[in-house]
Amino acid sequence: MILQTNYLVPKSKDEILTLSSMTLAMKSLCESHNDIWTLMTALELPVSDWEGKWIDVYFDISSKLLEICNGFSSELSRLNQGNLPLKYSASSKQYLQACSLLDDWRQHVSSRNPRIEKCSSMLDNLVGSLDLPKVKNSTKGKVLMQAMYGVKVKTVFICRVFTATFSGSSKKLSNLNVADIHSWAPDFRRLQNLVNEESRVRFSGGKFTVLNELEAVDASVKILYPTIQAGVDTIEIEWLVKTVEELHAGAEKLSQGNDLFAKGVDGFFEAVMTSRDTLLSSMRFDKTVNDHSPGRNRHMQVVH
């Protein structure tokens, strides 16, 4: 389960870059990070057998992941705030006010969030250190390191797709090279190629956004804005009402998708925090034990 990615492969390209698929991916990350600690329990690998350098690497990675979660949360809050003008414009009977609200929405969602740019920089840093330290004299340690490598690759890939989607830039995407020695490599490459290729196609199309739910709302706004601005004849009222209803439905779907994805981000944040707290508690416990048991040797050595 730790490195499983085949169930994330969408049935069609229309399912790529949707809030529902992003929520599923975030849930998968939570499961993978939680499974790491389940694996550690099964291996019965005490923290005292870890090398200090590896622990420093782990805490550095996890701290970046927490910051990335905060960046995603801020973007979702920003999108939800942008939804307010849509709700008011859909209920407004005054054309000028409705036009102003729709214009406010477009300006708001087309602006860029600097915290997402920061997420991109942190992910670049993580890509540069994908390979975790190698270990010797510990079969269990090697198993753990291989699992941690897989989870890190999966995490960087998924978070990169999210960052590219929110930033509106294909430059944030990257193809991670995974050696065939890993049994999960073929499934991962299949997922990565499909998602990255479709994402680049959408970016090259010059769309306002590549996020499906956001694009659906913008399509309604593009129709509604010039129509209202030009004035509405009585003959067009029925058509206008239908378009407003579509806009309202799209805004509601976007809001619901944001909320579900936000819960997924919160869950991932909690999973990372729990793993950090568990490691810290284990370190304190082992220190107490070792203080009463001098001479205990470390067995999991890092090859520098």
Side-chain angles (χ1 to χ4, degrees), residues 108-127:
H108 179 80
V109 297
S110 63
S111 62
R112 297 305 172 202
N113 186 347
R115 297 189 68 174
I116 292 298
E117 294 301 316
K118 187 177 180 182
C119 288
S120 181
S121 298
M122 286 186 285
L123 286 166
D124 287 342
N125 184 274
L126 290 178
V127 169

Side-chain angles (χ1 to χ4, degrees), residues 64-275:
K64 285 183 173 62
L65 292 181
L66 293 175
E67 287 192 59
I68 288 170
C69 284
N70 287 332
F72 290 160
S73 294
S74 74
E75 177 64 11
L76 292 170
S77 295
R78 194 180 73 87
L79 290 177
N80 271 335
Q81 289 173 1
N83 253 357
L84 291 176
L86 290 180
K87 294 178 180 178
Y88 288 123
S89 66
S91 61
S92 176
K93 297 184 183 302
Q94 298 180 15
Y95 297 155
L96 289 178
Q97 182 184 22
C99 277
S100 177
L101 290 168
L102 291 176
D103 192 49
D104 288 346
W105 178 81
R106 284 208 108 218
Q107 289 186 33
H108 179 80
V109 297
S110 63
S111 62
R112 297 305 172 202
N113 186 347
R115 297 189 68 174
I116 292 298
E117 294 301 316
K118 187 177 180 182
C119 288
S120 181
S121 298
M122 286 186 285
L123 286 166
D124 287 342
N125 184 274
L126 290 178
V127 169
S129 59
L130 265 181
D131 292 327
L132 292 169
K134 297 179 180 180
V135 298
K136 62 181 181 179
N137 302 332
S138 174
T139 301
K140 292 182 178 180
K142 291 178 181 178
V143 171
L144 178 61
M145 285 296 147
Q146 288 178 359
M148 286 294 295
Y149 169 75
V151 171
K152 190 176 179 184
V153 168
K154 181 177 178 180
T155 302
V156 169
F157 163 66
I158 289 176
C159 288
R160 264 197 176 282
V161 172
F162 293 170
T163 302
T165 301
F166 290 139
S167 68
S169 172
S170 61
K171 294 179 180 179
K172 304 295 188 294
L173 296 170
S174 66
N175 283 40
L176 303 175
N177 296 317
V178 178
D180 287 329
I181 59 172
H182 302 286
S183 60
W184 47 271
D187 284 339
F188 172 77
R189 280 197 295 268
R190 179 188 172 205
L191 174 65
Q192 177 177 249
N193 292 340
L194 179 63
V195 173
N196 282 355
E197 286 175 10
E198 177 61 19
S199 298
R200 290 187 174 104
V201 167
R202 294 192 193 182
F203 280 119
S204 64
K207 288 187 175 183
F208 175 69
T209 175
V210 294
L211 185 62
N212 280 14
E213 291 86 350
L214 203 56
E215 174 64 23
V217 171
D218 185 57
S220 295
V221 171
K222 282 179 178 177
I223 296 172
L224 200 56
Y225 183 83
T227 303
I228 295 176
Q229 194 174 38
V232 183
D233 296 328
T234 54
I235 299 176
E236 298 175 324
I237 290 296
E238 185 177 345
W239 171 84
L240 179 64
V241 169
K242 182 181 178 182
T243 306
V244 169
E245 288 175 349
E246 290 175 351
L247 173 61
H248 181 75
E252 186 63 27
K253 185 176 181 180
L254 175 62
S255 180
Q256 292 175 354
N258 273 348
D259 290 344
L260 288 175
F261 185 54
K263 290 180 180 177
V265 173
D266 289 343
F268 183 51
F269 184 94
E270 290 298 324
V272 176
M273 279 297 297
T274 298
S275 66

